[in-house]
Amino acid sequence: MAKEYVQRITVSLPQDIYEELNTIVGENGYVNRSQLVSEMLRQEILIRKQKDENEIMAGTIAYFYDEGFPHLHSKLVSIQRKYIDEVISSLSVLLEENSRMEVLVVQGPVGRLKAVLNEITGCRGVETARLALSRTILPPIHGKTQ
């Protein structure tokens, strides 16, 4: 792995924010304030990048649904097939009663990933669904054929 170069900045904070910062560092196991501030900035950068519909990102779509709804499972599978370029993998877990949890590993343009989420959420019987994204993407699965 290439060495990561760091830049030093100076930040002035009001006393109450400075104390909160130190509390968060202590409670969450950060090595120092710089590590916490870097993590907070990474989160803000991620939020900004998620607004760009063309940005390529990887992540998960986790959703819960009631298997008792007729044809729901086949509809959800059809959605995954429709977005076969974006859906990398899926995990299905049987829960109590008629409940099931599915987790999709996804990658692609943010707009397409949001479209997958919206179609899943729009299915009658889906109780909740959430998209979590990362700036880091999967390496190419297949190289170019020559």
Side-chain angles (χ1 to χ4, degrees):
M1 178 179 219
K3 181 176 177 164
E4 184 178 339
Y5 293 98
V6 296
Q7 298 294 319
R8 185 176 305 273
I9 64 170
T10 301
V11 178
S12 298
L13 300 172
Q15 184 66 32
D16 61 333
I17 293 176
Y18 176 79
E19 290 171 6
E20 278 294 322
L21 187 70
N22 285 333
T23 300
I24 294 169
V25 168
E27 289 178 352
N28 294 293
Y30 289 101
V31 174
N32 54 41
R33 289 184 294 268
S34 292
Q35 186 183 24
L36 172 59
V37 170
S38 291
E39 174 60 24
M40 290 168 30
L41 291 171
R42 280 188 194 93
Q43 288 300 317
E44 284 301 313
I45 291 167
L46 179 62
I47 289 167
R48 183 177 60 81
K49 288 192 172 286
Q50 288 178 16
K51 293 177 184 175
D52 180 353
E53 299 285 305
N54 297 313
E55 184 75 28
I56 304 295
M57 300 184 93
T60 60
I61 297 175
Y63 58 98
F64 298 83
Y65 66 95
D66 183 340
E67 292 182 309
F69 282 79
H71 311 292
L72 177 57
H73 181 72
S74 62
K75 186 170 184 181
L76 293 167
V77 169
S78 293
I79 293 169
Q80 290 181 41
R81 288 192 185 283
K82 178 179 175 182
Y83 294 97
I84 194 91
D85 290 341
E86 288 77 26
V87 177
I88 307 301
S89 180
S90 66
L91 168 70
S92 181
V93 180
L94 297 174
L95 303 173
E96 293 178 329
E97 299 170 18
N98 282 340
S99 295
R100 183 184 292 246
M101 176 179 66
E102 297 242 6
V103 179
L104 306 180
V105 175
V106 294
Q107 180 170 286
V110 170
R112 295 278 295 173
L113 302 181
K114 288 179 180 177
V116 177
L117 175 69
N118 291 338
E119 286 198 38
I120 289 169
T121 304
C123 293
R124 191 166 170 258
V126 172
E127 297 164 3
T128 184
R130 182 171 303 256
L131 172 64
L133 294 173
S134 171
R135 292 183 314 134
T136 306
I137 61 173
L138 298 165
I141 296 171
H142 301 283
K144 290 184 179 181
T145 56
Q146 302 216 10

